[in-house]
């Protein structure tokens, strides 16, 4: 649940910093609207709804699996994102599937169904940016650097190997705290210098994460809340 929410939050954060808003209150408010959609516009497509339907930037997260019995083709989250062999995570409102629903994407927690707040969305995105930069540093010191720079994987490697490598290295990094490290929970004190850097670098936030994901994300299909 949190991983999917952070995926959406990052896109909201990126869009906020493409605009002119600079006050924290406005940024939080804009993150909320981008995430959930405009409540005063029934045709509004927030990023949560776009992910639920596998649209735009979120399309590469899923594959469609034909169901001959029902004739439907549900969206199935690619296994290399959730790493649970033999398990399918699908977009479904049926309780038996325990799948991805709008409530899963937008609720504060599994127990608290209140919509996730703008401040929480903002903080979640900042955590993604912090960890993405750490992941990029790891990649640039590995054999996968050529994938980021040239789009070609090392000989004998598949995209699944690349994702597995990043997950393993980030797990080791985040489980080994160092003196002076930032608080990876997103609840630590703000670093004013870091905040200024992110503010000035807003247009490149999504690019940094896309550099890591590579062909799994198509920049030309980058969504905007509608």
């Amino acid at each position: 649940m949190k991983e999917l929410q952070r995926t959406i939050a990052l896109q909201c954060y990126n869009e906020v910093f493409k605009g002119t808003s600079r006050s924290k209150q406005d940024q939080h408010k804009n993150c909320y609207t981008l995430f959930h959609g405009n409540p005063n516009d029934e045709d509004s497509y927030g990023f949560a709804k776009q992910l639920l339907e596998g649209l735009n930037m979120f399309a590469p997260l899923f594959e469609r699996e034909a169901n001959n019995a029902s004739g439907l083709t549900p969206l199935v989250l690619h296994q290399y994102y959730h790493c649970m062999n033999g398990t399918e995570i699908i977009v479904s409102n049926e309780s038996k599937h325990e799948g991805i629903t709008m409530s899963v994407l937008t609720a504060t927690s599994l127990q608290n169904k209140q919509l996730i707040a703008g401040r929480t969305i903002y903080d979640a995105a900042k955590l993604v940016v912090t960890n993405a930069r750490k992941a990029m540093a790891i990649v640039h010191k590995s054999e996968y650097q050529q994938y980021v720079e040239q789009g070609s994987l090392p000989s004998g490697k598949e995209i699944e190997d690349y994702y597995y490598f990043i997950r393993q290295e980030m797990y080791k990094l985040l489980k080994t705290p160092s003196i002076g490290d930032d608080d990876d929970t997103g609840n630590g004190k703000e670093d004013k210098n870091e905040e200024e850097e992110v503010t000035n670098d807003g247009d490149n936030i999504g690019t940094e994460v896309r550099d890591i994901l590579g062909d799994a994300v198509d920049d030309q299909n980058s969504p905007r809340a509608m």
Side-chain angles (χ1 to χ4, degrees), residues 76-111:
V76 182
L77 188 67
H78 282 294
Q79 184 175 299
Y80 50 71
Y81 289 129
H82 62 74
C83 309
M84 294 185 287
N85 292 332
T87 299
E88 285 190 342
I89 299 179
I90 69 173
V91 174
S92 173
N93 286 314
E94 296 186 35
S95 58
K96 64 179 181 179
H97 291 144
E98 297 184 351
I100 301 170
T101 65
M102 184 60 78
S103 178
V104 165
L105 295 180
T106 60
T108 299
S109 69
L110 294 176
Q111 291 74 37

Side-chain angles (χ1 to χ4, degrees), residues 22-77:
R22 284 294 178 262
S23 77
K24 278 294 184 62
Q25 185 176 3
D26 284 346
Q27 290 167 4
H28 297 166
K29 181 179 179 180
N30 290 340
C31 278
Y32 181 92
T33 301
L34 287 163
F35 193 104
H36 299 291
N38 185 343
N40 299 318
D41 182 0
E42 61 181 14
D43 295 324
S44 175
Y45 257 66
F47 288 136
K49 188 174 182 180
Q50 291 185 45
L51 186 146
L52 195 68
E53 297 183 7
L55 298 176
N56 302 313
M57 176 178 280
F58 306 114
L61 295 175
F62 303 99
E63 58 183 336
R64 290 191 178 271
E65 183 175 274
N67 187 324
N68 294 329
S70 65
L72 301 176
T73 54
L75 292 174
V76 182
L77 188 67

Side-chain angles (χ1 to χ4, degrees), residues 17 21 32 61 89 95 101 120 123 139 160 191:
F17 281 100
S21 173
Y32 181 92
L61 295 175
I89 299 179
S95 58
T101 65
T120 305
D123 288 344
V139 170
E160 291 84 356
D191 184 332

Side-chain angles (χ1 to χ4, degrees), residues 209-222:
V209 178
R210 284 192 290 274
D211 283 343
I212 297 172
L213 295 179
D215 291 339
V217 178
D218 183 354
D219 189 30
Q220 292 181 351
N221 290 328
S222 175

Side-chain angles (χ1 to χ4, degrees), residues 2 117 129 149 212:
K2 292 299 182 184
V129 172
E149 295 179 347
I212 297 172

Side-chain angles (χ1 to χ4, degrees), residues 13 17 24 122 126 129-130 133 182 189-202:
Y13 190 71
F17 281 100
K24 278 294 184 62
Y122 179 93
K126 286 190 68 176
V129 172
T130 297
R133 287 171 173 162
D182 293 335
K189 295 180 180 180
E190 290 184 351
D191 184 332
K192 292 184 179 180
N193 293 329
E194 179 186 4
E195 175 130 356
E196 183 65 27
E197 175 189 351
V198 172
T199 300
N200 291 336
D201 196 32

